[in-house]
Structure formats: C-alpha cells, structure tokens
Amino acid sequence: MRRQDTDVLVVGSGGAGLYAAIEAAATGAHVSIWDKGLVAKSGGTVGGAGLAAVGPWSVAGDGTDVHLSDTLHGGAFLNDQRLARILVEEAERRVVEMEGWGLRFDRRPDGHYVLDIAGGHTFPRLLAISDRVGLQMSKVLGRRLLGQVRIEQRSDILATRVLTRQGRAAGVMGIDLAAGEVVHMQAGAIVLATGGVGQLYPVTSNPVQCTGDGLALALGAGARLVNMEQVQFYPSGLVYPPSLRGFILGVQEYAKLYNGANERFMARYEPEVLEKTTRDRLARAIQAEIAAGRGSEHGGVCLDATTVPEETFRSFEHEYELCKKRGFDLRQVRMEVAPAAHYFMGGVEIDADGCSNVPGLLAAGEVAGGVQGGNRLSGNSLADIAVFGARAGASAARYACVAGRVAADAEQEVQEEARLLDLLRRGGGSLTAADGRQMLRELMWTGMGVVRNAGGLAATLAALDGMSADVLPRITIASTSLVHNRSMAAYLELEQMVLVAGTMARAALARRESRGAHFRDDHPVPSEAWPPSWTVVRQEGESLSVALNPLTDVQVRELSPEREP
Amino acid sequence: MTHTFQVRIERFDPTVDAGPELRDYAVQYHPSMTLLEALQEIQDRQDGSLAFRSSCGIAKCGSCAVTLDGRAVLACQTQLDGRDIHVGPLRNAPLVKDLIVDRERAVGHQVVTVEAEAQAPASGVALAAHQETAADYANLSRCIGCLVCDDTCPVLSARREDAFPGPAWLPTSLSSGIGVEERRAGQAFRCLLCGACAVACPSGVTTDRFLELARQRVAERDLLPQPLAALDGRIEQSHNISGEPNEGRLLWAGNLAHPPLGIGRRHAEVVYFVGCVSSLFPRSYSVAQSFVQILDRADIGYALLGEEEWCCGYPMAVSGELERAREMMRHNLEAVRATGARYLVSTCPSCYHFWKHVYPEILGEELGFTPVHSTQYLASLLENGKLPLRDGLPRQVVTYHDPCDLGRKGGEYDAPRRILARLPGVELREMPENREHSLCCGGGGNLETVDAELGGAVARTRVRQAVDTGAETIVSACQQCERTLSRSVRAERVRIRVKDIGEMVLDALE
C-alpha cells in the first residue's frame, strides 16, 4: 500500500473538480486530483453544450433576479435559495475568468455573444461554442493544472472509502489502477466532484464513469445526502442504434414527437405548448406512451427533426454528425428516443462554501445537492460546476490551512486494505459485474424510473437488499493483479451503485408527493405544505435514516400556477 | 442478419507477460456495431480481464483511441462491417496493459509549451487561440486530444520523438488556451506536412493547417531556420531551388537522342511544367526525360517554358513565406498564358497541387487553363488509345507509393492505378498503408533541408512497408518521393528498385 499526503484531495476531474483544484492551488495549497479514468476526460463536462450566465452581455430585461426566478421555478422551489442565488450571481465572474484563460465563446458579427434560448429560461442566456462549451471548458481548465509543481494529477485511481477521525474527514483510500496498488491519501480537506448517477440506469447520456461513487463515499463518512429521488430524465435519449443508446438529442427542443401510431401525442398531454414543455413533463408523456404500448419498434417514440431549419442545426453540429456517420441523417429520418437518465439534482448536502456536514469533506458539481432543486435548467450545470467548483476549492484550501491534516482512525485503514486485498483474491464466481449491472439497471428503470409508486419502490428496495446478499458475493474478480484491473473496479463500482440506489429508493419512498423530477402516480401532485421539504438520507450505524426537512431561508415564494413554465 | 466474427486482440499483462500475445474472441455482429461495443461485449461477457479505456462514447472525451488493423481510430466512432478484425493499442505511446497506453509524452509536450509561454514576453507568442480567426478557433475547438493523429504521424512512427512534438501538440495546446511562443513554434519545421494527421482526425480538425500556420508565424518574425531562409533566398534570386542559373533549366533534355519537340514552341495546347527537382537534379532527370519522350511519341503538341519556368513557389509556401512567392507565381502564370495553353501538365505533384489549389486563391483570379498531373494525363492517353503498348513484357511485381501532394492534397489516387492496370506484365501489390493512408516518403515539408536524418528515418519505415509486400519495385509518381526512397534503399542496401510511373509507361510503349 502506498501512503501519501496532501492539503487538498479532489476526487473527480470534470469541470467542478478541475476548478476546485485550480482555486485550491491558487491559495498555495498542495493539491492532488484523482480520477478513476483519464484526468479531465472522464466526466459529463466534455459533453456539455451551453453555459447559462447573466452578465453585461445579457439582453435587455434580463438580470440575475430573473435567472434566479427561472432556476427556482425550474427547480420546483426545492432549491437551496441561497445556493441558487450564488449560482446566478457568480456565473459572470467565472465566465470572465475562463475567458481570460482562453475560453472563447461564439460571437455574432456585431461582436456580441451568441446567446441561446433554452427551456425554462425567460431570456436567451446560454453562451455557446457551437455545442462544445463543456469540451472547451475541460481543456481550458485542465490546462491550468499543467506545469504546476503543487498540483499532482493522477488518472486511474478509484476511490473506495473516505476515512475519518472522530467524525472529521482525514483521507481517502482507493485502488491505483496504474501503479497496481492500494493507496491511502491523507488530506486536510477532500472535495468530492464525482458527478452523477446515470450509469445506474439502462439508458443514459452519462459517461461510463458516472456510477455515483462520491455519493457512496460521502454516505460512508457520515454525510447527509439530500433529494436523492430527483433524477432528471432527458426526454429524448436515443434507443437505437445500440452504439448510440442514451445519446441525447439536443435538437429535441425544436423537433416534433410521434408515437408508434404516427400520432403527435403531445397534443394530448400539452395541447398549448406541445413539445415545448419542461423536460420532466415531456419524459413522463413519452414514458406513458411507451408503457401504453404505443412505442416505436425498439421501445421508444419517434423524434422528427426533418423540418428544423439548417441554421438551427449549426448549434447541434456534433450530434448531427455523429448520427450521420452512423447512417442516420437527422434532417431526413426520424430517430427512436426514450427518456435517458441525464442529470442528478440530488446529492451531498452542502453550504455556500461546498462544505458537507462532515468537517473536511466538501462536494461540488453534480454530486452535490440543493443548487438545482428538483430539476435543472439547461445551461445551469456548466455554470454550477464553475461557481461551486471554485468555491469548494478555495474553501477546502482554507480549511486545510487552518485545520491541518489528521491521521485517520488506524482501524479504518486496516479494514479497508484488508477488504480490498480479500476481494482481489476472490477469483471466480458465478456472475460477472456486467450481470450485476444489468440487474441493477433493470430494477432502477422499473421501480425508480420516470414514474414511481410505493409498491414499485418497496420492491426495488427488497431487490437491492437481495443484490447485496446474493448477487454481490457471487461476482467474479477476473484478475489477481490490480494493474488496470477493470473487473475489480467494476465490482467496486457496483457495490457503490447498489448502496446509492438504496438511498435513492428510500428517498423516493419518503417523498409522498410529486415535485420536480420526482413523480409518483400514487401521489401525483405537489404537497400543499410550504415551504417544500428535502428528503435527507444518512448512514446511522448499520442502517439508513431518512428524514423530511422543510426548507429554511426561503425568500422567493412560489408564484401562482399561471407563471409555471 | 447475424453472424459471428473474430476479434483478435493484442493482450499484454505487464505483471506476467514478456510481450504482447494475441487472443481471439468470437463476437455476434449486428449492423452499425462499433468497435467499442465489440470490446465492451468481450469484457462484459467473455473476458473481464480485458483492459481498455472509454468514457463518453460520443467522440468528446478522446479516451478510446486504439488501432484497428494497424490504423489508429476512435473505438466509439468506428463502425464494423462484420469482417474479422485485429485490435491493438496505439503504437506511438508506451504500452501499459492490453489496449491502454501511457499518454505522458503528449502531455509532457504541453507542459513544455506552457513553460515556454511563461518565459516569453507578450509579443513572443506566435500562436494563441484567442488571436486566431473565428473559423480557425471553431476548428481547434473540435480537438478532443485523442492522440489518433500522433499515432498516424510518420515522424513519430520513425521513433524520433525527441525531434518533433507530434501533430496533437498544436491543436491540444492551442485549444486549451496555451500560447505557443515563437521558438517552440519552430518545432513545426520538423513536420512533413504530409496531411496524414488531418485525414485520420476523427473530429475534423485540420491539424496540418495549424502546423503550416506555425511556420508562417515563425517566418514573419524572421526566425526561419537558417537553411530554409537560405533556400528561400536562393529561390528568390535564381528562380529555382538549387541556386544554379535558371538558364540551365533545360539541361536535362540534353542527353536525349532527339531534343524534345516542345523546346522553343511558343504556342501549344499543353504546357509541360517540369518543376525544379526534375529540371536541375541529375538523378531526377529521368522523370522529365521519360515524360517528354512519351509526349513526342504520342504526337502531343506541348511547349516547354525553358528558363521562363520559374520555381512554382511551393517550397516558399512550405517555409511559411507564401507571400514571397507571389512575384514568381505571377510570372509563371503570365508565361503559361502567353502560350495560349488549355492544360498545364506537371510530373511533380507538389507543383500540380500548388498550381491547382493555391495559385487561383493567392492571385485572386481564374487561371484560364487546367492544371493536370502527368498520371491523369497519361491515364487519359492510354484510355484513348493514344499509346500503343507492347505485348509479352516480363512479369513485374510492383507496389505503388501514393505521394502526399498527389493523393491526400491533390485528391488523385486512381489515375496511377489505372495506368498500372493497363501495363502488360505488371502486378500491383498494395501496401496496407495506401491511398489516403499512405505513409509519407520522408521527403516532404522541406524537412530534408532542416533535418535530413529525420527524413531518412521516415523513408526507412516506408521502404520497409514496401518490401513487406514482396514487390520488386516501388513505383511512384513524384520525383521527390523517388529521390527520397531511392536514397534510403541504397543506404539500407535493400533489394528493391524505385521507378517513376512515367518510366514504366515509356518502357511499355511499342
């Protein structure tokens, strides 16, 4: 086992992790950044299209109050309003900062930024680089780590446990797949930036690394996880061809939908706006059509973008080309789509500085909860990772500077190392991790999908318990060397996925209303109680506790239903 | 329609294996299946120990680059057709395990570039993304850092990594906001400008353009490597690359039994633009000599410009001094127009490419005649029955080397093959690296002026590929390729001949 120490350890290197590392290093702290894949290349950031931000470039009438209002309405008022206000107010600063680092947003011939409109935003306010803002961000942010003596970047390290001492985060253990050894990094502060949970579902836009690791790590350290039931299903993820399954078509914002009977079915669900409704409503409508047996050949509905103007397609260059190369010209044929797990609004409870309830443990980006409330508006995620990644990094460095490092409870280190090495020696079983993943995904799609109910959730929980008891122990570990042992990594991820899935199902059971992206057909309307509540899940000894806590510090009130987007 | 196909994978476990071993897996095929799908299928259902990288699956992260049948590709973007395949790791990066390689070399070059930028005063940055045109930035922003281009680069493949950062260096650095300071930009002179990187790029980045741009910026700052500055000076003075008096432009014609009929003609439908190398370098005279003999035998009314033929300007453009070539281009254009020609034929692909694609753009007008490469012209003559061929020629096994300027830059892969198909006794064995995948001979990009040894290392690789086909002869359609490959063949004492396609045709004439 290799032991190292650092001031700030960042786990995950999408936009939030990168920004956290940059900000922490800027204070003079020593920073280590881990990714279980290639640094800066293994998260959802690279796929991000546009960044929503208000600034001097905004159109007349727009302002941070409007952006906040849009964000809260979009979030079904489940947002932590203070965090949401910080998001909309500090996005400008991060935009300008990244521009100074070489990020160059698209401009019109008159020099003004191209500002895209998107669902839920009152004004056009998404900055663009074709549809590559995320890719450019990850490159520009990744570059800031280069040539810096105080920043250590490590690809191929899978974090498996946050160690503590007397309730304070002290370090992280994991397996270093490149070096082929167990590693224990002692850290003054730890920032979790591990992204979302899409890979818990069979159809997802998320990269393969998005297995919810940080949520499992946080849970194990005693952190509170909020709103774990809030999964955003992007209405139109491809279901065919298989190599593009889960790939979301952004052009859906401008396209028409038809069911298997060639009916423009949105006319039944949203007669006034048809497809131009919120993503969650669209996802439920599509899911209802599929469930009612009116789906397309491969189990989706048909997306028709054939009448979308060419100029609009320029904002969707990448997806157009991708489909075209696979033999599908979006401007000529319809594509089969179904709701894809796309973004996760729940996560580690944080304060304005990214701190969780566990001292020394912070979180930023998609793994953190509360900023986006019950549903996320397009463009708000790229803003979120910049704003809160930066805050968490700065705050982690400050904490590490003041609190210093502390040795983890020795027993925890011994336990975790033994556990990992035992697993490595496990050898052949009757199942593979792929089998386990498939089982989990089917469970989640059925019981924790677009539409939930008490019976389905209870069944999901029972099945998850069954997986822990009967499936996980039977899974093969295909090699006894740790070097790029994908089989071991897949098993460890699956363990974490089962744990996280359990928290999600429990939260969904606890929220006996439909709010945000969480829809229950046995409680199909939002509760009348004001302010709305958060579900809060926490590990207490051997079991999980679930609470429903009303939001505090609610300044902006929900407006009348006519205002609902 | 389903069937299984074989996926042969190079496996390597550093903890137990001495070297890579091949393992075969049978996979069920379906249309539109990608290589990544096949690899995932194998890992999920057949062999959980298989190690490879992937993340986004949609060509944004650049993690999944591997080689398929020897060629670097993005696994998530490569559609299979049901044939058996051979999958291996990238070649120009150290192997770690199975299909996973170490990317530190490429990252290391970015770090060096960052450090150099930090040392440079503001004006010392030759290229910076925010200073480029919107179109160039849009193109740069497509780069996903997959390293497919590095794997395709003939210079990196020649294992002289210390000399050249590789093609990925510029687009990854620039699009990440790293400014490339001028001395570092000079690394671009070790590129062959062969264009293989741009062809291989899965994201449509015109990588070679940025390497050309780097040269321009360096030239603008008067920092050209001395040999290139000298070359351009020679060209400007003598109107040719050798610095010899341009009056000697027809010396190559002196040894022929009959003087070429095109000499002295003032008006003709065709101008034969010989090019500096064949005109002035004795080892390459045979290219021009063969061609005029063919033209004379076919009774073609063509003209030679003699000393009015000046260097086409391409070497200056390659050095980054395109503007300096303008005067010569203007002269050449007028000289050709004065003949009333409808076609300008050249045996030199570089002259051909330059005339066809750059002259009209730079001079801002239509030429008034059509540039044609000699292979296109010869193919047409053969197909129209203008060149009767002998019977009973001995069997020759040849392989054809696609010159970069004729193939990738000029778009012509077929005409030379149509010629070879018509020549009696000739059996063509293609190298796997052919057409747009052709490996540069090592003679391009003015590299031989700057680092002849590096060019030689590339030539060695190409000669080896040719020898591997079992052919006795390498045929090409470019005097520069022929020079470079011949030199390598002699140096390596390899048993293979190098011939120009025009010579092949002449030998076959009645």
Side-chain angles (χ1 to χ4, degrees):
Chain A
M1 176 168 71
R2 181 177 86 241
R3 287 191 184 86
Q4 284 179 260
D5 59 276
T6 188
D7 293 324
V8 176
L9 172 65
V10 178
V11 182
S13 63
L18 292 172
Y19 229 126
I22 292 166
E23 283 298 298
T27 68
H30 184 281
V31 179
S32 288
I33 182 164
W34 283 2
D35 200 296
K36 63 178 178 174
L38 287 169
V39 167
K41 284 176 152 338
S42 307
T45 305
V46 291
L51 192 159
V54 165
W57 53 77
S58 293
V59 306
D62 201 4
T64 53
D65 277 347
V66 187
H67 191 183
L68 176 63
S69 168
D70 288 345
T71 299
L72 296 179
H73 280 91
F77 282 82
L78 269 184
N79 318 58
D80 175 325
Q81 295 200 4
R82 201 161 57 113
L83 296 182
R85 182 167 278 289
I86 289 169
L87 172 71
V88 303
E89 285 179 355
E90 293 187 7
E92 175 188 344
R93 175 183 170 187
R94 298 303 166 194
V95 163
V96 171
E97 185 170 54
M98 288 192 288
E99 270 197 312
W101 290 340
L103 200 60
R104 189 166 130 178
F105 293 103
D106 288 346
R107 289 177 189 268
R108 298 188 320 231
D110 63 9
H112 286 109
Y113 279 140
V114 168
L115 294 173
D116 286 336
I117 187 74
H121 290 277
T122 302
F123 293 102
R125 61 168 82 96
L126 271 69
L127 298 163
I129 303 176
S130 177
D131 56 357
R132 300 192 274 274
V133 173
L135 173 61
Q136 275 305 105
M137 269 178 71
S138 61
K139 286 189 270 181
V140 165
L141 294 176
R143 171 257 188 274
R144 304 310 299 178
L145 305 181
L146 294 178
Q148 294 224 45
V149 171
R150 277 194 317 277
I151 302 182
E152 182 203 24
Q153 297 183 52
R154 293 277 197 155
S155 298
D156 303 315
I157 301 187
L158 173 64
T160 59
R161 183 168 179 176
V162 168
L163 288 83
T164 57
R165 177 171 210 88
Q166 291 167 344
R168 177 199 156 174
V172 180
M173 282 181 71
I175 53 174
D176 184 335
L177 296 161
E181 55 189 348
V182 175
V183 55
H184 176 179
M185 176 76 82
Q186 182 188 56
I190 297 148
V191 179
L192 298 171
T194 55
V197 298
Q199 288 292 330
L200 274 66
Y201 288 90
V203 182
T204 179
S205 62
N206 289 186
V208 301
Q209 283 83 10
C210 296
T211 48
D213 299 357
L215 297 161
L217 291 171
L219 192 70
R224 287 193 293 268
L225 304 183
V226 298
N227 299 331
M228 293 296 290
E229 73 286 348
Q230 299 292 347
V231 178
Q232 181 178 70
F233 291 92
Y234 199 95
S236 54
L238 287 175
V239 296
Y240 192 81
S243 60
L244 290 180
R245 201 180 67 208
F247 179 61
I248 59 173
L249 296 183
V251 77
Q252 171 270 310
E253 310 239 12
Y254 302 90
K256 304 175 192 147
L257 297 171
Y258 297 87
N259 62 19
N262 202 26
E263 178 204 354
R264 197 158 169 204
F265 58 89
M266 286 311 293
R268 268 189 282 118
Y269 296 88
E270 304 270 352
E272 295 199 2
V273 293
L274 293 158
E275 291 91 2
K276 291 207 189 301
T277 180
T278 59
R279 289 173 178 181
D280 52 328
R281 289 197 181 101
L282 205 48
R284 284 197 293 278
I286 294 171
Q287 187 56 21
E289 291 298 296
I290 297 169
R294 292 190 288 273
S296 63
E297 185 188 341
H298 294 96
V301 297
C302 300
L303 181 145
D304 187 329
T306 61
T307 54
V308 170
E310 177 167 352
E311 186 166 300
T312 310
F313 258 108
R314 258 184 252 134
S315 307
F316 303 104
E317 216 167 24
H318 179 250
E319 64 187 56
Y320 177 73
E321 282 169 17
L322 200 60
C323 292
K324 187 108 185 278
K325 271 190 249 175
R326 211 51 51 83
F328 300 86
D329 186 337
L330 285 175
R331 300 184 62 208
Q332 311 267 354
V333 300
R334 294 179 175 181
M335 303 297 291
E336 293 182 68
V337 299
H342 180 52
Y343 185 83
F344 185 57
M345 282 71 70
V348 181
E349 185 187 43
I350 57 166
D351 67 11
D353 290 319
C355 297
S356 73
N357 59 291
V358 175
L361 185 66
L362 298 89
E366 196 172 346
V367 76
V371 178
Q372 311 293 347
N375 217 335
R376 175 189 66 86
L377 296 185
S378 191
N380 269 2
S381 178
L382 291 181
D384 181 343
I385 63 184
V387 168
F388 289 99
R391 276 189 162 242
S395 136
R398 278 196 306 272
Y399 182 87
C401 181
V402 165
R405 301 165 197 183
V406 69
D409 181 336
E411 180 66 21
Q412 293 179 21
E413 186 197 71
V414 167
Q415 258 179 20
E416 183 65 2
E417 187 185 13
R419 181 182 84 92
L420 292 170
L421 294 178
D422 279 345
L423 269 173
L424 194 56
R425 286 189 280 270
R426 177 194 278 194
S430 52
L431 294 170
T432 63
D435 293 329
R437 278 200 303 270
Q438 189 169 357
M439 278 179 221
L440 176 74
R441 286 167 178 163
E442 270 160 30
L443 283 183
M444 293 297 280
W445 182 239
T446 309
M448 262 298 289
V450 178
V451 177
R452 300 122 182 217
N453 54 59
L457 290 166
T460 303
L461 282 168
L464 287 170
D465 284 340
M467 281 198 72
S468 291
D470 298 324
V471 172
L472 291 179
R474 292 197 280 144
I475 288 178
T476 305
I477 309 279
S479 165
T480 51
S481 154
L482 270 178
V483 176
H484 288 289
N485 189 335
R486 187 55 215 148
S487 172
M488 173 93 162
Y491 173 81
L492 290 166
E493 282 168 345
L494 183 61
E495 257 190 359
Q496 289 172 336
M497 286 159 82
V498 169
L499 188 61
V500 171
T503 64
M504 292 169 72
R506 282 187 173 79
L509 209 48
R511 186 180 292 284
R512 284 193 284 276
E513 61 164 348
S514 289
R515 184 175 280 276
H518 170 71
F519 185 83
R520 284 188 54 166
D521 60 16
D522 53 352
H523 295 279
V525 295
S527 150
E528 308 223 319
W530 179 264
S533 293
W534 277 5
T535 58
V536 183
V537 176
R538 193 175 175 183
Q539 184 102 36
E540 309 225 329
E542 288 299 310
S543 59
L544 282 177
S545 72
V546 190
L548 265 175
N549 297 346
L551 277 171
T552 55
D553 196 17
V554 171
Q555 313 228 320
V556 181
R557 294 195 63 92
E558 196 155 13
L559 297 181
S560 64
E562 289 95 71
R563 170 62 183 80
E564 297 274 3
Chain B
M1 178 199 78
T2 54
H3 69 271
T4 55
F5 66 108
Q6 287 293 109
V7 180
R8 170 165 290 182
I9 305 183
E10 293 174 33
R11 301 294 309 270
F12 175 64
D13 181 344
T15 61
V16 297
D17 297 331
E21 314 229 323
L22 300 176
R23 290 248 273 283
D24 288 343
Y25 302 90
V27 176
Q28 189 90 288
Y29 177 72
H30 70 83
S32 85
M33 184 177 215
T34 60
L35 177 56
L36 183 61
E37 266 185 85
L39 292 175
Q40 196 63 63
E41 165 82 21
I42 292 167
Q43 190 188 70
D44 284 350
R45 289 184 213 299
Q46 299 186 42
D47 188 342
S49 72
L50 175 64
F52 60 90
R53 289 197 189 285
S54 72
S55 182
C56 72
I58 54 166
K60 279 275 168 93
C61 72
S63 301
C64 65
V66 292
T67 58
L68 171 65
D69 296 333
R71 201 165 286 155
V73 297
L74 270 192
C76 71
Q77 292 311 291
T78 304
Q79 232 165 287
L80 304 176
D81 57 14
R83 280 183 292 180
D84 293 348
I85 56 176
H86 180 125
V87 186
L90 292 182
R91 304 282 180 226
N92 290 347
L95 177 59
V96 175
K97 179 177 179 176
D98 293 340
L99 303 176
I100 297 183
V101 297
D102 184 322
R103 300 164 64 99
E104 283 316 299
R105 184 198 63 79
V107 174
H109 279 293
Q110 284 197 59
V111 172
V112 172
T113 307
V114 163
E115 285 165 354
E117 180 197 20
Q119 309 283 344
S123 63
V125 169
L127 295 119
H130 64 274
Q131 289 167 0
E132 306 309 322
T133 63
D136 275 338
Y137 182 78
N139 190 262
L140 279 172
S141 71
R142 286 170 165 267
C143 176
I144 61 176
C146 63
L147 303 186
V148 163
C149 58
D150 273 2
D151 226 56
T152 311
C153 175
V155 176
L156 291 188
S157 301
R159 294 277 177 262
R160 279 278 310 274
E161 296 95 341
D162 51 308
F164 179 49
W169 150 66
L170 267 185
T172 50
S173 300
L174 288 171
S175 64
S176 304
I178 303 172
V180 180
E181 64 81 49
E182 48 206 21
R183 249 154 271 270
R184 190 98 184 110
Q187 297 282 59
F189 287 99
R190 286 200 161 68
C191 160
L192 290 162
L193 293 183
C194 75
C197 48
V199 165
C201 177
S203 303
V205 179
T206 53
T207 314
D208 51 351
R209 163 166 173 67
F210 298 107
L211 288 155
E212 282 177 27
L213 207 57
R215 295 183 180 205
Q216 274 175 42
R217 298 292 164 77
V218 170
E220 278 159 22
R221 286 161 167 77
D222 286 325
L223 290 170
L224 273 187
Q226 198 282 326
L228 288 178
L231 171 67
D232 288 357
R234 278 203 297 282
I235 296 172
E236 198 170 47
Q237 276 273 26
S238 340
H239 304 137
N240 63 56
I241 63 175
S242 69
E244 302 287 319
N246 211 43
E247 292 77 14
R249 202 93 185 178
L250 289 172
L251 276 172
W252 59 270
N255 288 352
L256 291 168
H258 310 282
L261 297 174
I263 295 181
R265 268 199 192 122
R266 305 282 281 276
H267 301 282
E269 194 173 80
V270 175
V271 162
Y272 172 31
F273 191 90
V274 186
C276 292
V277 175
S278 292
S279 300
L280 301 160
F281 288 60
R283 274 201 206 270
S284 300
Y285 283 176
S286 58
V287 172
Q289 290 168 345
S290 307
F291 194 62
V292 292
Q293 287 177 77
I294 296 170
L295 292 179
D296 285 343
R297 296 257 226 122
D299 229 349
I300 303 293
Y302 69 96
L304 288 161
L305 298 175
E307 67 189 76
E308 290 312 311
E309 180 183 302
W310 292 6
C311 176
C312 70
Y314 192 49
M316 281 175 150
V318 161
S319 295
E321 296 200 290
L322 177 54
E323 269 308 304
R324 215 169 157 188
R326 189 182 276 274
E327 191 214 318
M328 292 185 319
M329 292 162 76
R330 173 59 55 190
H331 164 90
N332 281 331
L333 178 61
E334 297 312 322
V336 175
R337 278 180 175 163
T339 67
R342 285 177 52 215
Y343 298 99
L344 176 136
V345 183
S346 184
T347 37
C348 173
S350 307
C351 297
Y352 160 69
H353 158 64
F354 207 59
W355 268 104
K356 190 171 173 81
H357 298 116
V358 184
Y359 268 60
E361 199 198 302
I362 294 302
L363 298 176
E365 52 188 288
E366 304 262 331
L367 299 175
F369 49 87
T370 308
V372 167
H373 184 257
S374 56
T375 52
Q376 296 166 330
Y377 199 72
L378 289 174
S380 160
L381 288 179
L382 280 168
E383 279 150 17
N384 292 328
K386 297 281 178 57
L387 295 174
L389 301 173
R390 291 194 275 149
D391 294 322
L393 284 165
R395 181 170 168 269
Q396 296 183 69
V397 179
V398 311
T399 188
Y400 175 70
H401 165 80
D402 290 280
C404 301
D405 283 337
L406 181 60
R408 275 187 290 268
K409 303 263 175 74
E412 183 59 73
Y413 303 107
D414 288 326
R417 290 172 168 86
R418 279 165 24 225
I419 294 171
L420 291 172
R422 282 186 173 263
L423 297 182
V426 171
E427 180 196 321
L428 171 63
R429 285 204 201 141
E430 298 269 19
M431 291 177 270
E433 304 81 2
N434 67 30
R435 294 175 175 262
E436 68 269 23
H437 301 293
S438 174
L439 192 84
C440 181
C441 69
N446 285 355
L447 180 62
E448 69 174 306
T449 310
V450 167
D451 189 339
E453 208 205 304
L454 183 56
V458 175
R460 265 200 299 280
T461 310
R462 190 50 166 168
V463 167
R464 211 177 325 120
Q465 289 176 348
V467 167
D468 283 348
T469 64
E472 311 146 356
T473 306
I474 306 173
V475 179
S476 193
C478 170
Q479 73 293 330
Q480 179 68 353
C481 294
E482 286 143 20
R483 265 182 79 220
T484 312
L485 293 171
S486 296
R487 198 182 307 133
S488 186
V489 163
R490 281 195 303 276
E492 300 300 302
R493 299 174 199 270
V494 179
R495 301 200 60 167
I496 197 166
R497 274 188 314 226
V498 180
K499 282 197 100 166
D500 179 68
I501 198 164
E503 293 173 49
M504 301 272 300
V505 172
L506 185 64
D507 288 348
L509 290 187
E510 254 178 6

